[in-house]
Amino acid sequence: MNRNRLKLFACLSMLIDHVGLVLFPDIEAFRLIGRLAMPIFAFFIGEGCLHTRNRKAYFLRVFILGIVCQAVYIAEAVINGGNGFYLNILLTFSVAIPLCYLFIYIEKRLKAEGKDNLALIGFAVLFAFAFLAERGVTALCDTAFGIELTFDYGFAGICLPMFALLGKDKRNRMLFFTYGLLFFCAANYGDNYIWTISTLLSLILLWLYNGKGGEKNLKYFFYAFYPLHLVVIYGIDMLI
């Protein structure tokens, strides 16, 4: 499977997830199907950091789009009394992207010095830094402003894209990403084995990835899909 097909599948999975979350909260099947989306998007965020030509533009696209999408959540919170400070997945990825860039930089420097075997130590340091940063930001917002700020999927969600950078070939990269996804499931779902199994099924699709982008450039479609589908779903919810 190429990148376009995997991302289209992830978009469909995410759409079903959000339809279930907003319109059919009592039907768990919608949410289980939706568990397939996040690992696929996280994997391609990591790959995007590795291959993008303009790192600043890549980060800004994700971050600005995350701000736009957050406005939808804030509007919903004002109308229905929800939590507008539950940060959407694009803002989680906006924290992950600089960490991915930093790891790529550290790995290149170590390789240039003939110490590329120490890359995992650098990864562990960034892993710990991500944990402290996420906990520090949320604690600061709670203490100083009384705001319960929550990153979508938390610390594990921030770190998951970085696992897509580890390994020197496809097999090793997928093995490391599998380990990362196991950690992600343990951190987010605990003993909810049904959600864990649903999430891990995404690995079947990712292992089929052929490393190719696809015949058409759908980059801007994928960027537009996230905010547009949220507007439509929450709009329908308000109407009914």
Side-chain angles (χ1 to χ4, degrees), residues 1-15:
M1 297 185 71
N2 60 41
R3 187 185 310 120
N4 281 348
R5 290 178 181 175
L6 283 168
K7 284 188 174 182
L8 285 170
F9 181 90
C11 285
L12 177 60
S13 172
M14 179 174 63
L15 175 62

Side-chain angles (χ1 to χ4, degrees), residues 4-220:
N4 281 348
R5 290 178 181 175
L6 283 168
K7 284 188 174 182
L8 285 170
F9 181 90
C11 285
L12 177 60
S13 172
M14 179 174 63
L15 175 62
I16 293 171
D17 181 39
H18 289 160
V19 167
L21 175 65
V22 178
L23 303 178
F24 304 100
D26 296 328
I27 304 178
E28 189 178 16
F30 284 88
R31 306 305 313 283
L32 293 177
I33 295 171
R35 299 310 95 208
L36 297 168
M38 197 286 185
I40 296 174
F41 284 128
F43 180 85
F44 285 115
I45 284 290
E47 187 174 78
C49 291
L50 195 62
H51 298 299
T52 186
R53 295 179 181 178
N54 189 331
R55 293 179 176 176
K56 180 180 179 181
Y58 183 63
F59 166 76
L60 287 176
R61 281 196 299 268
V62 175
F63 177 69
I64 292 173
L65 194 58
I67 295 296
V68 171
C69 293
Q70 196 63 35
V72 178
Y73 287 109
I74 292 173
E76 188 273 337
V78 171
I79 295 172
N80 297 327
N83 181 7
F85 296 103
Y86 187 93
L87 303 182
N88 68 78
I89 189 60
L90 292 179
L91 293 179
T92 299
F93 287 154
S94 296
V95 179
I97 289 172
L99 292 174
C100 288
Y101 289 161
L102 187 54
F103 174 74
I104 292 169
Y105 172 78
I106 291 172
E107 188 178 40
K108 285 184 177 180
R109 287 294 302 269
L110 290 173
K111 186 175 182 180
E113 297 174 6
K115 301 176 181 178
D116 54 321
N117 58 320
L118 299 178
L120 284 177
I121 296 177
F123 182 86
V125 171
L126 289 178
F127 196 83
F129 175 78
F131 175 79
L132 294 174
E134 188 265 342
R135 295 301 170 91
V137 169
T138 53
L140 176 63
C141 289
D142 186 27
T143 303
F145 307 106
I147 296 174
E148 188 179 347
L149 189 70
T150 306
F151 286 92
D152 198 12
Y153 294 108
F155 157 68
I158 293 172
C159 291
L160 186 58
M162 292 198 298
F163 283 92
L165 304 175
L166 298 173
K168 298 180 180 180
D169 54 42
K170 177 189 173 183
R171 181 178 178 276
N172 284 328
R173 287 178 66 201
M174 283 308 306
L175 284 173
F176 277 114
F177 191 77
T178 300
Y179 300 146
L181 192 55
L182 288 169
F183 163 75
F184 171 86
C185 289
N188 281 282
Y189 306 136
D191 57 358
N192 190 334
Y193 68 93
I194 297 179
W195 282 47
T196 296
I197 291 173
S198 297
T199 304
L200 293 176
L201 287 175
S202 63
L203 291 171
I204 297 174
L205 298 172
L206 288 170
W207 274 95
L208 295 175
Y209 176 45
N210 60 14
K212 298 179 181 180
E215 296 179 359
K216 298 181 180 181
N217 184 357
L218 300 179
K219 177 174 67 174
Y220 293 106

